Structure formats: C-alpha cells, structure tokens
Amino acid sequence: MFIVKYRKIFYTISGILMLGSLLAIFVWGFNPGIDFKGGSVLEIEYPSARPELSVVNQQIAGLNFDQSIRATGEKGYIIRLKSLSEAERATIESALSKNTTNIPEVKRFDSIGPVLGAEALSKSIVSIILVLLAIVIFITFAFRKVSEPVASWKYGLITVFALFHDVLVPTGVFVALGHFKGYEVDTLFVTALLVILGFSVHDTIVVFDRVRENLKFAGVGKNRKTFDVVVGESINQTFVRSINTSVTTLLALAVLYVVGPEVTKHLSLALLVGITAGTYSSVFLGSPLLVTVESWQNKKRGL
C-alpha cells in the first residue's frame, strides 16, 4: 500500500525525468549516426602508441571529407566522414599511413548512403509505432474480461504511457550524452528501445495480471476490498519478483558494458537505462495509475 498511498511522489519523479528528457530533445536535438544520415565510419588501431589527435587531424586535413575524430580504446581512433567511395577510402588510409613506423590497422569501415539512412530512420519509427499498437491490442484482448472498475482498454493505454516513459528516459539520456560526449543515435539504439519495450511490458503485465486475479477474490458487499487495496496488495506480491528479475538482467548488462567490445557499449548503456526506467514504471507508475484512473471515474460519477 505504501506505493499506492504515496503515488504522487512517484508521479513527480517520473514527471521530472520525462520533462527533462523532452527538454533535452527539443533544445539539443538528436545526434544521428551514419545509419540515419548516411556517411562512413573508419576505425583504426595503431600497433604502438597512437599519435596525438592534432597529428591525425593534420594528416587528413586537406581531404575535405567532413571528418570528426574520436579516440577509442588505448591505441585507436574512430573517424566519421561523409559517405566515401573506395577510391576516397584508399586516399584517407594512405594519408593516415604517412608515418611508416606506426601504420594503423583498419579495424572497421562502414559506409551508408543518405537514401539508405533515410529509409532506416523511417522504418525504425514505423517499427516502434507498430510495436506500441500491437501492445495496446494485446493487452486490451488479454484483459477483456476485466471491465470493472477500470475498463480493459484503459489497461492498454496506461501500459503505453508507461512504455513511453521507459523509452523517453534513455532517449533523453542519449540526447544529453550526444550533446556533451558525442554519443550517436543509430540502429543499435533503436534495437535497444525495442528490447526495452518488450522487457518493460512483460513486467507491467505481471503486475496487471496479479491485479486481475486478486479482483476475483476481493470479496463481496461490505467486506469487498477497495480497488486501491487490491492494486497495493498486487504490487507487494510481485515487487520482489520484478526487482530480482531486473537486477539479474542489469548485472549482465553492466558486465557487458564494462568488459564488452566498444561497439556494444552504447547498446548496453541504453539497455541499462531503459530497463531501470522500465522496472521503475511497472511498479511505481503503471499500477498506481490504475488507482488514479479509478479515482477519476468515481469523481466523475459523483461517488
């Protein structure tokens, strides 16, 4: 009952997180990767100590490939450029190999045209919308026998609102990191959002399902438990399970973030933030919102 009783505190925390994320998005905007805007990425690693960033900048300064360079690992650099042809790729690799005693090895080269980037962006948006729509339909169907005191379709809308919270928070974090640290939003980030949606809805449904079961045994007449009591007891009964499931997943992701390869670090970070937000919303936001909706209905009916 603690969570339901003090639900306004948790609403405030979620509201601050969501407002901060929206402000970050509107003020700073996304920093799209080459997956969405097109371009090339060249990752190199030097056999001995890597040269200073200014030296690498000087080596390729005259090529006019719109390059930006970021250090990676202990000996490497990631260079982002406009979309390069094979001839242009050979030119930049040659320029980077001027120091014959420390010639870098090309670890990765990816190039995506602007048309493919736009297609990837549109398909990513469509996939997220379709997932949300499918979740609403599924939950409305799954809870179709629950009509009182809150209609089944409202369970679906509350779930989507909680999921919006779960994807908005990591998105805001990545926009901020993109502004201050150069983090990019790419298809791996969209993949992370889809995983977060699946994980979070799973947690939310577990609590909702317990509410549905407990409503069957809520008693009758004067002995009938009120809806807020039923929801509070349902949260308490599933709280430990939700936390334990999320903690084990977060531990695995934390290990992947710390010791995993460079290319998976941003993915694991997005999942860490999103699954944490999802666990929070399934316990502290979604289920308490059922009580709030029921309270609004009672006021509207004059009860």
Side-chain angles (χ1 to χ4, degrees):
M1 280 301 294
F2 172 84
I3 296 172
V4 172
K5 183 178 180 181
Y6 297 102
R7 59 186 182 276
K8 290 184 179 177
I9 296 175
F10 303 116
Y11 293 168
T12 303
I13 294 172
S14 291
I16 292 172
L17 291 173
M18 295 174 75
L19 183 61
S21 298
L22 287 172
L23 281 175
I25 292 170
F26 286 116
V27 173
W28 294 322
F30 292 98
N31 182 21
I34 66 167
D35 299 7
F36 295 142
K37 67 180 181 183
S40 300
V41 172
L42 178 66
E43 182 177 353
I44 56 175
E45 184 176 286
Y46 290 86
S48 54
R50 69 182 171 211
E52 293 293 326
L53 180 60
S54 58
V55 174
V56 180
N57 265 320
Q58 188 176 9
Q59 287 176 328
I60 61 177
L63 300 179
N64 295 322
F65 289 161
D66 300 332
Q67 61 269 15
S68 66
I69 307 173
R70 178 170 62 85
T72 180
E74 296 181 354
K75 298 180 180 178
Y77 282 110
I78 292 178
I79 306 173
R80 302 184 187 281
L81 317 110
K82 68 174 188 177
S83 183
L84 298 184
S85 64
E86 282 301 315
E88 291 172 327
R89 175 187 172 180
T91 300
I92 191 171
E93 288 182 13
S94 174
L96 292 167
S97 304
K98 289 179 180 175
N99 182 359
T100 55
T101 61
N102 194 18
I103 297 176
E105 176 190 359
V106 176
K107 305 290 288 185
R108 176 168 62 105
F109 178 78
D110 296 321
S111 186
I112 298 176
V115 175
L116 285 177
E119 183 180 354
L121 177 62
S122 62
K123 287 187 175 180
S124 298
I125 295 172
V126 169
S127 62
I128 291 175
I129 292 173
L130 287 177
V131 168
L132 291 174
L133 183 62
I135 287 172
V136 172
I137 294 172
F138 171 75
I139 291 182
T140 302
F141 177 77
F143 290 85
R144 63 191 183 282
K145 294 183 180 178
V146 182
S147 57
E148 292 293 340
V150 177
S152 60
W153 63 271
K154 293 179 182 176
Y155 281 75
L157 289 184
I158 290 172
T159 302
V160 168
F161 179 77
L163 292 177
F164 177 67
H165 164 279
D166 302 341
V167 298
L168 182 61
V169 172
T171 301
V173 169
F174 261 68
V175 167
L177 289 173
H179 181 73
F180 292 107
K181 296 289 185 180
Y183 280 37
E184 294 182 338
V185 174
D186 53 17
T187 50
L188 274 181
F189 179 75
V190 176
T191 304
L193 293 186
L194 294 174
V195 173
I196 291 166
L197 288 174
F199 192 93
S200 299
V201 75
H202 174 261
D203 253 1
T204 304
I205 286 177
V206 167
V207 185
F208 282 4
D209 193 53
R210 185 56 61 93
V211 172
R212 177 177 61 179
E213 291 299 317
N214 286 342
L215 281 173
K216 295 178 183 176
F217 307 102
V220 294
K222 294 182 179 179
N223 295 323
R224 184 176 180 82
K225 294 177 181 176
T226 58
F227 188 60
D228 60 332
V229 171
V230 173
V231 173
E233 290 179 351
S234 302
I235 294 173
N236 291 341
Q237 291 165 5
T238 55
F239 183 82
V240 174
R241 176 204 171 282
S242 296
I243 298 299
N244 286 344
T245 304
S246 299
V247 167
T248 51
T249 306
L250 291 173
L251 285 174
L253 290 171
V255 171
L256 179 64
Y257 178 75
V258 173
V259 303
E262 188 71 22
V263 293
T264 62
K265 282 190 179 299
H266 292 186
L267 171 70
S268 52
L269 178 61
L271 289 172
L272 276 170
V273 177
I275 290 177
T276 301
T279 304
Y280 174 85
S281 72
S282 65
V283 175
F284 298 98
L285 182 62
S287 300
L289 277 174
L290 288 174
V291 178
T292 299
V293 169
E294 192 252 357
S295 176
W296 287 347
Q297 290 178 170
N298 289 340
K299 287 181 180 176
K300 191 174 180 181
R301 295 169 184 167
L303 298 177

